């Protein structure tokens, strides 16, 4: 056995020698190095500047002012990284570059609970700041509220922010009075369809029109998280594609369509169909162009809806019959709680009695209106009487006692004349001799009110009219001579 093992060992040595000879002419293989070993340690890196100090340094580099408000927020976040914080830059008037530097410093800290950013009432946003703000929204998913009110947003900014909002955690968006165009509104709501967090949107008082209405309709038909939508003060007009998106939407509870010029039979029919197949609780239609035709559909909605709690109709064309039918339908619907006919709308006596009846039956119901019209018609305006009262006032107006006159004495002189109808020249001469100061427009109106054909004046009717309302005693003889023509 030993001889055999020795033979096997010699053969193995020969094989190893031959392999060594075959590799002797080639380069030797070096073992790979670990790439992580080439990375420096934390001790080799320069010390990181605190965020507040870094914010001041970057502001100095770019030649802009550093603000105490931003510094305080950054310092608070550094000391309390787990606390809830809101970045409130409302009405600060910061430029785009100043806002970018502040947001960059905030991103370096990466606060755990940054819940709100308010940039309202600042300078118009440019695409660069919009991109930076969009990155912040996507990086910090804890931001639940974004306010951009009264900042001008062009189409490029809206497109950038729309894409960022669709991938962020923002639940509330305030973009009212931002001059958003029809194309911008279409881009915004087209992107927000894919958001799974948005709950409240306020885009009131912008310039959204037909294409935005179509995008909003598609948004409502697919979105299942939106609860409140404020579209007041735009130019949606018919609103047909928008209201069509309400069908099947069970998330939206508040919808504001006031000041949009809405009207037409098609609008009324679509509103009835969409609202009846949704869970809408509050609907605002104030200050549109709704008339009797549209109100017939709204009356059916008030009568049949099981989810609607409040509806506002002020500022539209409401006839007495329409108001009565609305109150009647409102009173019979057990789920309705508030009906607003307008803070300046007057109802008639019949509708007022019906309101009083329903208030007694259901004290929780509220009907908003200005007041009740009286049954008696208003007293007609007597132009002749009004002009004579003005003449009487001007005759007794002078501060000096000698210049004061009793206009009734002139009327007594006209009553004593043999002829009741005199020429205009004689009337003007009598007024001049009586020495009463009357405005020329007043005299012309008086001649027109008591004028008769052929350029004559009925002074008899004038005297009867005045003396009936203001009986006047005859003056003494001395006074009469002084005032006689």
């Amino acid at each position: 056995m030993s001889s055999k093992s020795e033979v096997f060992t010699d053969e193995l040595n020969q094989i190893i020698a031959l392999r060594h000879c075959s590799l002797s002419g080639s380069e030797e293989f070096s073992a790979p190095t670990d790439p992580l070993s080439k990375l420096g340690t934390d001790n080799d890196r320069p010390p990181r500047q605190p965020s507040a100090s870094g914010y001041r340094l970057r502001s100095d580099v770019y030649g802009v002012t550093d603000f105490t408000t931003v510094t305080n927020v950054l310092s608070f976040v550094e000391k309390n990284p787990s606390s809830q914080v809101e970045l409130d830059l409302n009405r600060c008037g910061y430029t785009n570059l100043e806002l970018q530097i502040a947001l960059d410093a905030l991103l370096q800290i990466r606060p755990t609970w940054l819940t709100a950013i308010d940039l309202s009432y600042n300078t118009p946003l440019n695409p660069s700041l919009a991109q930076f703000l969009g990155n912040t929204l996507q990086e910090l998913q804890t931001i639940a509220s974004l306010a951009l009110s009264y900042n001008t947003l062009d189409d490029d900014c809206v497109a950038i922010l729309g894409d960022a909002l669709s991938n962020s955690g923002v639940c509330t968006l305030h973009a009212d009075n931002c001059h958003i165009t029809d194309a911008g509104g279409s881009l915004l709501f087209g992107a927000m369809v894919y958001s799974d967090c948005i709950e409240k949107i306020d885009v009131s008082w912008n310039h959204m029109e037909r294409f935005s209405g179509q995008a909003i309709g598609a948004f409502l038909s697919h979105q299942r998280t939106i609860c409140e939508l404020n579209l007041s003060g735009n130019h949606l007009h018919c609103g047909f594609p928008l209201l069509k998106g309400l069908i099947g939407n069970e998330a939206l509870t508040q919808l504001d369509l006031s000041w949009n010029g809405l009207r037409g039979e098609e609008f009324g029919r679509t509103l009835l169909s969409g609202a009846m197949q949704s869970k809408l609780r509050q609907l605002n239609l104030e200050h549109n162009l709704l008339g009797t035709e549209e109100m017939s559909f709204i009356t059916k909605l008030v009568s049949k809806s099981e989810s609607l709690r409040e509806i506002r109709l002020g500022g539209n064309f409401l006839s007495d019959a329409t108001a009565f039918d609305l109150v009647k339908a409102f009173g019979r619907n057990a789920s309705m709680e508030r009906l607003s006919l307008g803070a300046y709308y007057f109802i008639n006596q019949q509708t007022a009695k019906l309101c009083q009846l329903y208030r007694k039956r259901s004290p929780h119901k509220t009907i908003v209106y200005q007041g009740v019209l009286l049954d008696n018609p208003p007293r007609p305006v007597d132009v002749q009487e009004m002009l004579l009262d003005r003449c009487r006032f001007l005759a007794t107006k002078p501060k000096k006692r000698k210049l004061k006159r009793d206009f009734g004495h002139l009327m007594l002189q006209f009553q004593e004349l043999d002829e009741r109808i005199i020429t205009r020249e004689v009337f003007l001469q009598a007024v001049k001799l009586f020495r009463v100061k009357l405005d020329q427009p007043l005299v012309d109106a008086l001649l027109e009110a008591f004028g008769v054909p052929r350029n004559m004046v009925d002074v008899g009717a004038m005297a009867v009219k005045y003396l009936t309302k203001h009986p006047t005693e005859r003056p003494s003889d001395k006074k009469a001579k002084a005032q006689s023509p």
Side-chain angles (χ1 to χ4, degrees):
M1 293 294 294
S2 60
S3 59
K4 291 183 179 181
S5 61
E6 292 176 357
V7 172
F8 178 77
T9 303
D10 294 339
E11 292 178 355
L12 181 61
N13 291 332
Q14 291 178 2
I15 293 173
I16 294 174
L18 291 174
R19 292 289 301 271
H20 180 71
C21 293
S22 63
L23 295 175
S24 61
S26 62
E27 297 180 357
E28 294 184 359
F29 178 76
S30 58
T33 59
D34 185 8
L36 295 179
S37 63
K38 296 183 178 181
L39 295 177
T41 62
D42 292 338
N43 297 329
D44 299 333
R45 298 178 185 176
R48 186 175 67 87
Q49 293 284 344
S51 184
S53 302
Y55 166 70
R56 295 193 188 96
L57 180 60
R58 290 201 64 185
S59 299
D60 293 339
V61 170
Y62 287 98
V64 299
T65 306
D66 57 294
F67 297 96
T68 306
T69 304
V70 179
T71 305
N72 293 338
V73 172
L74 296 176
S75 301
F76 177 80
V77 174
E78 283 181 335
K79 297 176 181 178
N80 307 279
S82 300
S83 300
Q84 289 190 3
V85 62
E86 297 181 0
L87 185 62
D88 186 2
L89 302 180
N90 183 14
R91 299 177 187 269
C92 292
Y94 295 165
T95 63
N96 292 316
L97 181 57
E98 291 166 347
L99 291 174
Q100 288 186 45
I101 295 174
L103 292 175
D104 182 45
L106 191 65
L107 275 179
Q108 292 180 7
I109 308 178
R110 299 185 65 85
T112 307
W113 290 105
L114 176 63
T115 58
I117 295 180
D118 190 350
L119 303 179
S120 302
Y121 292 92
N122 283 287
T123 54
L125 272 68
N126 58 11
S128 177
L129 177 58
Q131 187 66 55
F132 211 97
L133 180 60
N135 294 338
T136 305
L137 296 175
Q138 294 180 84
E139 288 290 332
L140 305 178
Q141 291 289 322
T142 58
I143 300 175
S145 176
L146 176 64
L148 301 172
S149 303
Y150 291 90
N151 288 312
T152 302
L153 300 177
D154 58 14
D155 295 346
D156 295 335
C157 293
V158 171
I160 295 171
L161 290 174
D163 292 337
L165 288 168
S166 63
N167 298 315
S168 69
V170 174
C171 300
T172 303
L173 171 63
H174 294 279
D176 54 292
N177 295 276
C178 289
H179 301 279
I180 299 176
T181 63
D182 190 25
S186 179
L187 292 171
L188 176 63
F189 283 96
M192 294 295 289
V193 170
Y194 305 103
S195 174
D196 55 355
C197 297
I198 195 68
E199 296 178 358
K200 301 177 183 179
I201 298 179
D202 183 359
V203 287
S204 57
W205 300 101
N206 286 292
H207 306 291
M208 296 186 295
E209 298 182 16
R210 183 182 63 177
F211 294 110
S212 296
Q214 296 175 357
I216 295 171
F219 169 79
L220 292 176
S221 62
H222 293 87
Q223 184 57 245
R224 292 296 177 264
T225 61
I226 185 69
C227 298
E228 300 179 15
L229 181 58
N230 189 349
L231 301 172
S232 176
N234 286 280
H235 312 287
L236 299 175
H237 303 303
C238 67
F240 172 71
L242 187 156
L243 296 173
K244 196 173 181 181
L246 284 176
I247 299 176
N249 189 312
E250 298 183 355
L252 188 66
T253 58
Q254 298 183 24
L255 179 61
D256 191 343
L257 294 174
S258 59
W259 297 96
N260 270 287
L262 300 173
R263 62 178 177 179
E265 181 183 357
E266 186 180 22
F267 164 78
R269 185 179 291 106
T270 310
L271 174 64
L272 177 61
S273 176
M276 288 294 295
Q277 300 182 57
S278 68
K279 299 298 182 180
L280 204 61
R281 296 175 62 89
Q282 297 180 12
L283 178 61
N284 190 349
L285 297 173
E286 291 182 331
H287 301 285
N288 283 291
L289 302 176
L290 307 178
T292 306
E293 186 177 24
E294 297 85 359
M295 286 299 171
S296 61
F297 295 99
I298 295 176
T299 303
K300 293 179 182 179
L301 174 63
V302 173
S303 175
K304 298 180 180 180
S305 178
E306 297 180 357
S307 62
L308 197 63
R309 298 293 182 270
E310 177 181 350
I311 187 168
R312 300 182 181 183
L313 302 171
N316 291 288
F317 302 103
L318 300 176
S319 63
D320 292 341
T322 300
F324 182 83
D325 293 339
L326 281 170
V327 173
K328 186 177 180 180
F330 171 76
R332 292 182 175 180
N333 191 332
S335 62
M336 289 289 296
E337 297 176 357
R338 184 181 181 89
L339 171 65
S340 176
L341 301 176
Y344 302 100
Y345 183 78
F346 286 84
I347 60 177
N348 55 23
Q349 291 282 350
Q350 185 181 11
T351 308
K353 292 180 181 179
L354 191 62
C355 292
Q356 187 177 6
L357 175 63
Y358 287 132
R359 282 200 193 106
K360 290 181 179 179
R361 291 182 179 179
S362 305
H364 66 281
K365 289 181 176 290
T366 303
I367 304 175
V368 179
Y369 55 89
Q370 173 66 31
V372 182
L373 295 174
L374 300 178
D375 289 338
N376 298 327
R379 183 170 59 90
V381 178
D382 193 336
V383 178
Q384 295 179 345
E385 181 179 334
M386 181 181 65
L387 294 173
L388 291 173
D389 287 342
R390 179 63 179 172
C391 294
R392 180 172 180 267
F393 170 75
L394 293 177
T396 58
K397 183 181 178 181
K399 294 183 179 179
K400 294 183 180 180
R401 189 172 183 180
K402 293 182 179 180
L403 298 179
K404 293 183 178 181
R405 295 287 183 272
D406 189 346
F407 196 71
H409 295 164
L410 179 61
M411 295 296 105
L412 289 173
Q413 295 179 19
F414 286 150
Q415 191 180 37
E416 294 175 355
L417 293 177
D418 296 335
E419 297 181 358
R420 293 173 52 89
I421 300 176
I422 61 176
T423 62
R424 294 195 174 191
E425 290 76 10
V426 176
F427 176 80
L428 294 175
Q429 186 66 22
V431 172
K432 185 177 180 181
L433 292 176
F434 190 71
R435 291 182 298 175
V436 59
K437 292 185 179 181
L438 303 178
D439 301 332
Q440 187 60 39
L442 178 60
V443 175
D444 294 340
L446 198 62
L447 292 173
E448 187 69 23
F450 291 96
V452 293
R454 298 183 181 181
N455 203 21
M456 306 290 282
V457 184
D458 191 351
V459 294
M462 186 186 300
V464 172
K465 190 81 173 178
Y466 182 88
L467 296 174
T468 301
K469 185 177 181 181
H470 306 286
T472 307
E473 297 181 359
R474 295 183 179 277
S476 60
D477 295 339
K478 186 177 181 180
K479 206 173 209 181
K481 290 180 180 179
Q483 295 181 358
S484 60

